Amino acid sequence: MGIGGCIALIGVGAILTFATDWHSDSVNLDLVGLIMMAVGIIGIATFTSIARRRRAVVAPTVVQQDDRGGF
């Protein structure tokens, strides 16, 4: 799941929690929304930590040229 999916989970969870007034006897939509937001936040944290590890810093190679114009 990419960062877009995580943001979508947070958005849908916030809509379910704060913007709906549907009531069901079998499902608590406020709790489902909170769980979706939590999963989205955990997903963003995991995605950014993995992406930070992938960006390895590589030392630049230095090409030295001698006085005669060759390498």
Side-chain angles (χ1 to χ4, degrees):
M1 174 169 47
I3 198 158
C6 294
I7 291 172
L9 275 175
I10 293 171
V12 171
I15 289 171
L16 284 176
T17 301
F18 302 117
T20 59
D21 57 353
W22 300 328
H23 296 288
S24 176
D25 293 334
S26 59
V27 177
N28 185 355
L29 289 179
D30 291 337
L31 182 61
V32 170
L34 288 173
I35 291 171
M36 289 176 75
M37 287 190 291
V39 169
I41 291 170
I42 292 169
I44 286 176
T46 304
F47 182 78
T48 55
S49 69
I50 289 172
R52 189 178 318 141
R53 283 190 221 147
R54 286 185 187 167
R55 294 185 202 142
V57 177
V58 178
T61 56
V62 178
V63 177
Q64 292 183 352
Q65 191 174 19
D66 63 2
D67 292 337
R68 294 175 288 175
F71 290 103

